[in-house]
Amino acid sequence: MQSIDLSRSFFGCVRISRTALAVFFAALLVGSDAVAQQPEGPQGPALSTAAPDMPEHIGAPTSLHDLLQEAEQKNPQIAVSFHAWQASRYVPKQVSALPETQLSVQQFSVGSPRPFAGYSNSDFAYIGFGASQDIPYPGKRALRSRVAEQESESMEAQTDSIRRTVAGNLKMVYFQLAYIQQTLGILQKSDDLLNQVEQAAEARYRVGQGNQQDVLKAQLQHTKILQEVAHHHQEEGLLEAQIKQLLGRSQESPDIVAETLTVRTLPYAGGDLLQHARQQNPDIRSKQASIRQQETQVELAHKNFRPDLNVAYMYQHTNDQTRDYYMATFGIRLPNRGRQKAELAEAEENQERVRRDMDAESQRVLSEVQQQYVRAKTAEERLKIYSDGLVPQSEATFRSALSAYQSNRQDFQSLLSSFLDVLNLDLEYRSELVEHESALAELERLTGVDVP
């Protein structure tokens, strides 16, 4: 009997063999007494539709909400981005301040290079004290402050984007961990049943009701189940390491147990989500701030064609027989027009660049929102088909096949096939649930809405 995959390769790690699943029925069909003890409903033996038990872990399950709060407080990427934004808030005050005032001391000697030579016997030797101040052309300082403020706004939006990205990544990994832990429970329970079947197969072989090949197959499938359990433990460890990295936790910290996933309903229409994305998406808001910044930069480039000013004042003292000197100067710093034209051209090109970049980013975000919306709604429809149609239909088919097998009206292969349908659909439902929740997490990141 060949092995087959029981679930889609959603995470590339869940595989269960056909023979390993068949052991469940072998355990039920070892003897007629064991079958007779099972409670029966109107349509035959009752079939439990409860989810498999979670594998035992140390500690209680941790909610996603708690992990998100922890990540927001301790994730290093969020902290780096936050402090960079906070630092940028101090730039406008710097660039809008007047240039530094320059103080000077002058000493003029006569007749010798020695300091203060001729100071007592010459009318030309003196000591002077002065100050000078550069004054930008009116309006330049305000424009520079606006450029810095808009850059800070862009960095604030980038901080929000990083926060949402970290939260989205955490949700994705958390959903995968929940899926792995739940399917790991299925494997572990199958391994327990396989041990019972191996013993039952040996017992049937000893009394002549079975053959040695059944015993060897049971032993082989037991080894395969152990291999799959080990693989699941590996995937579980990898996912937990990713979560701890996002949380800023030590890798030696206790294991993380995910809660059982439940279906959330998306309360927004596609148009509403697109509108929220236009208004609240941090990447779009960052680009909008960049556009305003470049527009102000162009205005500043025009203003830089205006000359800056300089004022200075000097006090000079000679000997006591000569009157002191007082000198005030006023200067104009003429801009290099060739350089300013190049600066203006650069600012205009950057303005056009950020506009195009804004269009591209907006199209990308809106396209991704629409894709995730279609993905979420499709998964929601599939989940309803699974829960209302495929799963109950497969269970009814299995109950009928089990009753027919007990009455010797159906072969074991048909019974096994109907049970594989039940288990396959269960795993597919869980995988589809992860797909649905992942799409909602992406919509939350892109639009800023909260899906309760």
Side-chain angles (χ1 to χ4, degrees):
M1 191 175 296
Q2 298 179 348
S3 297
I4 61 171
D5 289 339
L6 289 184
S7 66
R8 298 179 307 169
S9 57
F10 189 77
F11 301 118
C13 59
V14 181
R15 301 184 304 277
I16 306 177
S17 64
R18 180 186 294 270
T19 306
L21 297 172
V23 300
F24 176 74
F25 302 101
L28 295 175
L29 302 170
V30 170
S32 59
D33 292 340
V35 175
Q37 292 176 359
Q38 295 182 357
E40 297 190 4
Q43 299 179 356
L47 177 64
S48 173
T49 59
D53 295 337
M54 291 286 291
E56 294 186 0
H57 295 271
I58 298 177
T62 305
S63 69
L64 178 59
H65 179 266
D66 293 340
L67 295 181
L68 289 172
Q69 288 185 330
E70 182 178 350
E72 188 164 348
Q73 295 173 358
K74 299 182 178 180
N75 180 270
Q77 288 180 287
I78 295 178
V80 168
S81 178
F82 174 79
H83 289 295
W85 165 50
Q86 290 296 309
S88 69
R89 296 174 60 189
Y90 296 97
V91 176
K93 188 174 181 179
Q94 300 176 48
V95 298
S96 62
L98 282 171
E100 289 76 6
T101 301
Q102 182 177 354
L103 300 178
S104 61
V105 177
Q106 292 183 347
Q107 191 274 317
F108 189 76
S109 301
V110 176
S112 173
R114 291 183 296 105
F116 300 100
Y119 185 77
S120 60
N121 55 13
S122 174
D123 294 339
F124 296 98
Y126 69 87
I127 181 172
F129 303 91
S132 65
Q133 176 68 59
D134 290 330
I135 302 177
Y137 192 86
K140 287 185 178 182
R141 292 163 55 200
L143 289 175
R144 291 168 184 166
S145 178
R146 282 172 51 192
V147 170
E149 288 173 355
Q150 288 155 355
E151 183 176 2
S152 180
E153 292 175 5
S154 177
M155 295 189 67
E156 180 183 7
Q158 292 174 19
T159 300
D160 187 25
S161 177
I162 291 177
R163 181 184 61 81
R164 292 192 190 184
T165 299
V166 169
N169 292 338
L170 178 58
K171 291 177 183 179
M172 298 293 185
V173 181
Y174 184 88
F175 296 152
Q176 296 177 26
L177 179 63
Y179 178 82
I180 287 295
Q181 289 178 344
Q182 292 175 33
T183 53
L184 180 60
I186 297 175
L187 287 174
Q188 291 176 335
K189 292 187 69 174
S190 299
D191 186 53
D192 294 338
L193 290 174
L194 187 58
N195 291 328
Q196 300 176 19
V197 171
E198 183 178 347
Q199 297 173 5
E202 292 176 354
R204 290 170 65 88
Y205 175 66
R206 285 194 296 267
V207 298
Q209 295 180 354
N211 55 63
Q212 187 180 19
Q213 185 180 11
D214 293 338
V215 177
L216 296 176
K217 285 184 177 181
Q219 294 174 349
L220 175 62
Q221 294 305 320
H222 172 70
T223 305
K224 290 184 177 181
I225 287 291
L226 293 179
Q227 182 185 23
E228 293 298 334
V229 170
H231 183 70
H232 268 62
H233 280 302
Q234 172 186 322
E235 292 298 320
E236 184 182 24
L238 295 176
L239 293 172
E240 287 188 13
Q242 294 180 45
I243 292 179
K244 291 176 182 178
Q245 178 188 5
L246 293 171
L247 297 176
R249 286 188 187 180
S250 169
Q251 291 297 326
E252 292 82 9
S253 59
D255 293 340
I256 298 173
V257 182
E259 292 182 327
T260 302
L261 294 182
T262 56
V263 181
R264 294 183 294 169
T265 302
L266 182 62
Y268 301 95
D272 296 334
L273 292 173
L274 293 174
Q275 186 63 27
H276 279 294
R278 294 187 184 97
Q279 297 174 352
Q280 302 184 62
N281 183 270
D283 295 324
I284 292 180
R285 288 193 290 109
S286 177
K287 299 299 182 182
Q288 291 171 341
S290 296
I291 290 178
R292 294 192 295 270
Q293 177 187 0
Q294 290 302 322
E295 290 174 348
T296 308
Q297 193 69 50
V298 170
E299 188 176 353
L300 177 61
H302 282 287
K303 186 72 70 173
N304 283 338
F305 280 91
R306 302 292 186 267
D308 294 333
L309 309 176
N310 177 271
V311 293
Y313 186 82
M314 175 67 68
Y315 164 75
Q316 297 177 353
H317 177 71
T318 58
N319 54 52
D320 294 337
Q321 290 76 27
T322 307
R323 293 181 179 182
D324 294 337
Y325 295 93
Y326 304 90
M327 180 173 61
T329 60
F330 176 81
I332 297 178
R333 182 177 290 115
L334 298 176
N336 185 314
R337 296 189 64 83
R339 183 177 67 83
Q340 295 306 135
K341 288 181 180 180
E343 179 184 340
L344 176 60
E346 178 190 9
E348 291 174 341
E349 290 296 331
N350 283 331
Q351 181 182 27
E352 185 64 22
R353 173 184 59 81
V354 295
R355 286 176 178 173
R356 299 293 183 180
D357 194 20
M358 168 65 186
D359 292 339
E361 184 66 19
S362 179
Q363 291 294 331
R364 183 194 69 80
V365 170
L366 296 180
S367 174
E368 192 169 351
V369 169
Q370 185 64 27
Q371 292 178 48
Q372 296 299 333
Y373 176 75
V374 172
R375 179 184 168 195
K377 297 303 291 186
T378 302
E380 187 175 328
E381 294 174 0
R382 290 176 178 173
L383 287 172
K384 186 173 181 60
I385 293 174
Y386 277 116
S387 60
D388 296 347
L390 293 176
V391 172
Q393 290 170 3
S394 65
E395 291 174 351
T397 301
F398 170 71
R399 285 193 294 266
S400 175
L402 184 57
S403 297
Y405 186 78
Q406 292 170 351
S407 303
N408 293 325
R409 291 182 288 104
Q410 191 168 352
D411 58 69
F412 180 78
Q413 183 63 32
S414 299
L415 176 62
L416 175 61
S417 177
S418 62
F419 178 73
L420 289 176
D421 288 338
V422 174
L423 188 53
N424 275 324
L425 291 172
D426 179 33
L427 294 176
E428 290 175 7
Y429 175 83
R430 295 174 188 273
S431 179
E432 197 67 49
L433 178 58
V434 175
E435 182 84 6
H436 179 263
E437 294 304 303
S438 298
L440 294 187
E442 278 295 288
L443 288 174
E444 290 175 327
R445 180 184 68 84
L446 292 167
T447 64
V449 301
D450 183 25
V451 181

